[in-house]
Each structure stands twice: as structure tokens, then as C-alpha cells.
Amino acid sequence: MSSDKKHPKESDIIKLLEGDSSRRSFIKNLSIAAAAGSAALTTGCIPSLAEASTEEMKLRWQEFFKKHYRLMTQEEKDAAVGRLERLAKLENNLDLQMGSEPPIDGVLYGYGFNITRCTGFMECVTACIKENNLDRKVHTQYIRIFEMEPGKLDPSTGDGQYYHEVPVDNKFYMGTQCFHCENAPCTKACPTKATWKEPDGIVVVDYDWCIGCRYCQAACPYYGRRFNWGKPEIPKDEINTKQHYLGNRIRPMGKMEKCTFCIQRTRKGRLPACVEACPTGARVFGNLLDPDSEIRYVLKHKKVFRMKEELETDPKFWYFID
Amino acid sequence: MRALHEKSLKTFFIDGIRWNLQGTPAFQIFRLVLLGCMGLGIYAYSFQARYGLSVTGMNDIVSWGFYISNFTFLVGVAAAAVMLILPAYVFHDPDFHRVVIIGEGVAVGALIMCLTFILVDLGGPLQAWHLIPGIGLFNFPSSILAWDVVVLNGYLLLNALVPAYILYCHYMGRKADERKYRPFVFLSIFWAFSIHMVTAFLYQGLPARPFWNNPLMGPRFLASAFAAGPALITLILAIIHSSTTYKIDRSVFSKLRIIIVISAIINLIMLFSEIFKEFYFTTHHSISAVYLFFGLDGYDALVPWIWTSVCANVLATLVLALNPGKNNPKVLLPACGLLFIAIWMEKGIGLIVPGLIPSPLGEVVDYLPTWVELCVTLGILALGITVVTWLVRVALIIEQNENPLG
Ligand code: SF4
Ligand code: SF4
């Protein structure tokens, strides 16, 4: 649980929550509330007027009124990406390479998880956190590994937060993440179409279009979505600068995020970070439309099953045993 | 009042504001207290604007909390105005005709609170314009939340415009033309049911949440709303009756009591039906109910909450049904208050939070609202009460002094 629960007792919030604000900070807070308004909420922080250059303000303004990603032309996407790169430079002196690669024709991604092989090392979790710029402050984690008793196949019966040496005898391990449902309850629920399924099967979120209502999170039967309750914090030298607009770019505060099958890698023909990192080869990823792919081999020759099959969400994520 | 002056739409508004700024000192103090609460709410919200929803008690598992709970309950209060509109406009009940305007004022106040609760619950409130059809992208008809936005705003319009039209006509000293507003009254009756059903479907439609994915959800929402809403209106009418010159007939209270009793009994029957289903043969789909009523893995924050609510609910329903003392307001008014609170506890936190616990992968956590959530909520309630008092004050003054029909 500790990995899912927020830790609100962070240095600056702690004071506020415990309410020991002096009269001066009370007045300061009030004036901030009154004055900072829109800029504060769109950017997630209060820019002091002296610091924010006019270029920065202009870029933020254009960002605020940009279109939904799916309605943008390629030029508009390029312009948006350019703005985001420039803003990262201005705000944090970061050199990003952000892409907006479209889905590859004839590709539909699928994922297999070998329960017999997984030993619960969690290399995948670590790799995912690094690759996807996940918030270190509250330990956001897309991938969860559950330690399971034999005879049980439902993670809700397992232990999702073991802290002992693995593997343990007579236990097996089951990983979960967003399953990229074909019939996804989360995209159906979203009131603004801020989340949708791409033609290559990846369910993505337009972070700037999301209004943060969290209806999709309530709708997901696999606990596949994570919300930015506060501003994400990542040490600057650990930021992965190779990003995708719909993928691992650093999410704004108050927006939904989730596993994207590492869209920034897979759309360039690479494997997701978790698959690459797994030392036992328990993770299989590939193109479901390619008859020679490894994932097709698994689906054909192994005993496969999907979680909560009765919900008919058709996850593109299969468990299998050797 | 302004018999010597020209009356127009402009003076209608100006008089409305003027009447509300005047009043006894006690009334002014009441106003100031409400204003103070709203200020506190804005102050608390400023933390949310800066640090995001991380200053609330919510997390990835309990992703909806106190705000959405209150929103859900208040939708019911808003819908309940129909219990006055139906007899007043459709069956031409003269008793209800005198009070229907107050019911509509309560509905407007409740709806404004609902919409504000949704707004403060958003992670990106400034992106809310993405929901405006035309400018934004509206996931209609697929997303039930999109439906909810439509029905809530539509109901707000209907409930504000029909009484405004009638009041304006009375203010101008003429009779409101029934042919003009009758279609809208019928529409608003249909609409009242729809706001509550749609809000119930918001939860009922989620296969991920067995606690909510329950066909009784919609009907039970209606039954509890038609008990809690009229209970609140009874209390408000009692306050108006005792503190203003606008006197309300006893028969209104006894008719309201009957509406409340019938709805409350239907609500209890459905509650017991649900409890039976969850506990006669407990499956893993009942686990949220187990958490709610008995606690799970040592997490039991809601157990005293829900039992208090159930006991209060049963007690209040019994008192209202048996009617000891024959319509004695000293007995009935507290019972209405108790019933209102019991349903607030159950249809708010008692409904939303256990639906999210345990998470779909089995984690159990307890949820407690932080002071930020409590203060913001207080501010929104104060806003709602302010709206109701403003509207009701204007309505009563016009109806008493300017209504040519007496
Ligand atoms: S697992 Fe959840 S978040 Fe992922 S596609 Fe399915 S419903 Fe959506
Ligand atoms: S949180 Fe964002 S992605 Fe999820 S339903 Fe709301 S707007 Fe859509």
C-alpha cells in the first residue's frame, strides 16, 4: 500500500496541513489565491512575474488553448512538441527530444506474462519508473507484482507489497499494469475523450486535455491508472529526455497517466523497458498481426488466460504457463 | 412597494438585491457567518490550487472522496423539488402552490452546490472548458459523466427560469401565463427523475465496481432522495413559518410527511434487500459491503459511520410513520432532521468510499477527509445556503406584497 498511498507529509505541505500558518503567511496565501488564478492552475506552480519571461508566458498561453491531440494536424503537433521542448528549456534548462510518432501500419501490440518464470525481482518496476519519468516523491508505479499462493489466480488474493528476499518457495508471482483493453471501460467513461485507444492498440491519455475528473480510474477494473495528486518530482539528472507527447513526458499536476507500452520506444521498433529489463525473460511483447512474432507463438503454443475474462474487456495482455 | 415607480426587468433585479441587503440584525449576522464560511472555503481551496489534490485525503485507490459524496447526495436534494412541483403544477394542489417556489429555490441552491463540488474535485479545473460542446470535445453519448453535465445544467436552467418567469410576472403585477410555462414544468418533472437516474448510472455502469454495479442503485437513489429532499424542505418551511410573516398551512406539513414516510419506507426495504444479497451468501463481490459494515483487515473507519446512519434512518422513519403526538412539530421536525442526516451519511460517504475499497486488485485503505476538504465543503454549503436564502427572500417578498392574486 505504501507505494500507492500518497505521502502528504512532505516538507512544505506538512506545515499547511497542520495549520501552523502565521498571520503573514495567511495573508500571503490569501493574496496568492486571489491573484494567481489561471496561470497557477494551468502550470501547476505559481510563477512570480519577475521570473516568467514574456516568451514563457506566451508559450504557456498557446499551450493552454491548444487543441485535442487527435484533432491536430501534423504541423500543429510539431508546433506543440516544439513549445513543450522550449518550455522545458526555459523552465528547467532541460534539452528534451520529444516525438509525436504515429502508429505504425499493420501493427497491433500484445503482451504476454509468463507466470512460471517470474521470480518477483521487480527489475521491471525499476526500469519502468526510470523510463517513464514516474513521480519519485509518492513512488508512482505502473507495474505491480503480486506474490501469490498456489491455487489462486486472482491478484486480490495475493500480496502486492512484499519486502523480503525472492523467490520464495511454493509462491508464484503475477505482474499487473494497464492491460490495454480492446473494449476499454476507461475510454468509454472519459467525458472529454482525453483518453482513447490508438490504432496500434495502445490506450493513451492526452495529458493536456484531461480535466482530472478520475472517472476513468473508477472505471478501470485492473487498477491500471495513476493520478498526479500533486506536482510530480523527479531528480533532474534522472529525467529521461527521450520522450513522446502521449508517453513519458513529465505529466502536469492533476492529470491521469498510465502505462503506454513505452510508446516512445515501441513506435520506434524497440521493446518496452520492462520487457528489456526482465532478467528471466518472463515478459513477451510483440505485434499480434505478425504471424512470426514471439507473442503469436506464445498465444498459439502455451496455455494462456486473461484476468477477469468475465468482464469482456478483452485485455491485450495474456498470462501463460510453460 | 415600488408602486410609484416604473417596473422593469432592471428594477426586478435591483429590488431583488436591495431586499436581500436589508433585514434584521440577526439576518445580517447570519449573512456574515455565511460569508465567513465561504471565505474559509476559498482560503482552503487556495492550497488545492497550489499543491493539487494531494492536500486531500484521496489517493489512487480512493480516488473519489468527500466532494463527490456530497455531490451525489445533493443531486437527490435537487431532484426532490419535483415532489412539490408535481402536486402544485400538475394536480393543482392549492397548498403546494404556495410553497412550490421555495422548493424550486432549494433545487437551484442544491444544483449550484453540485456543480461547484464537481469543479473543486477536478484535477484541472481550468481545463473544464474542454467539456463545453463545440469548443471542447464531448464524449456524448458514451460517457455517463457527459450526460450528467447535460442534465445537471439543463435542470438548473429549468428550475431557475420557470420560477423567475412566474415571479417576474407577479412582480409586474400580472398573472403568469400558464400556457407559456406549463410545457417547461412537465419537462422539469421528467428532468428531475433523469438527473437522479443519470447520477446513479454514473456508478451503476461501472463493471469494475461490484458494490455500485447493482440494478437497485437508480431506484434506491430516487427513494432516498424523495425522503431526504422533502425532509429538508419541511425544515426550511418550518423556519420560514416561524421567522417570517409568510405563514404555511399545517396541511402542507402533513402532506409532506406522507411523501417522506412512503419514500423512506421504500428506501429501507431496498436497503434490507441489498444487505440480504450481500450477506446471505458472501462472495468476493460482497467484499466492499463487508468493509463498510464490518471492516476488513483491520480497516474499519466506516463501520461506526454506517451503523449510526442505519440506526438513525430506522428511528426517524419509525417516528415519521407512527406520528406520535399527531403532527406535533416538536417531534416531527427533529425526525426530519435526523432522517436527512442519516441519508446524507449513507448516500454520501457510505456509498462512494466503499465502492472504491478494496481496489480492483484487493488493496484496502481507509479514507479520511483532510481539513482542506472539510473547509472547502463548508464553503460550498455556505454558498448554497446563501443562494437559497437570496432566492427565497425575493420570492416571499414578491408573493406577499406584489402578488395581485393575493
Ligand atoms: S487496463 Fe484499465 S486503464 Fe488499461 S485499458 Fe483497460 S480499463 Fe483502461
Ligand atoms: S481523469 Fe482525465 S482521462 Fe480520466 S476520465 Fe477524467 S478527463 Fe478523462
Side-chain angles (χ1 to χ4, degrees), chain B residues 45-61:
Chain B
Y45 188 77
S46 72
F47 290 108
Q48 228 181 278
R50 245 192 307 170
Y51 301 104
L53 290 165
S54 63
V55 295
T56 70
M58 294 183 272
N59 52 56
D60 276 321
I61 291 174

Side-chain angles (χ1 to χ4, degrees), chain B residues 6 14 95 117 139 147 151 175 187 189 195 200 203 220 231 262 267 269 271 288 293 323 341 348-349 374 406:
Chain B
E6 273 300 310
I14 294 175
D95 286 341
F117 272 120
N139 194 4
W147 277 77
V151 292
K175 200 171 179 333
L187 190 61
I189 290 167
I195 61 166
Y203 309 104
R220 234 191 112 201
I262 294 173
N267 181 37
I269 293 172
L271 173 69
S288 295
F293 284 98
N323 193 9
I341 291 171
I349 293 272
L374 296 177

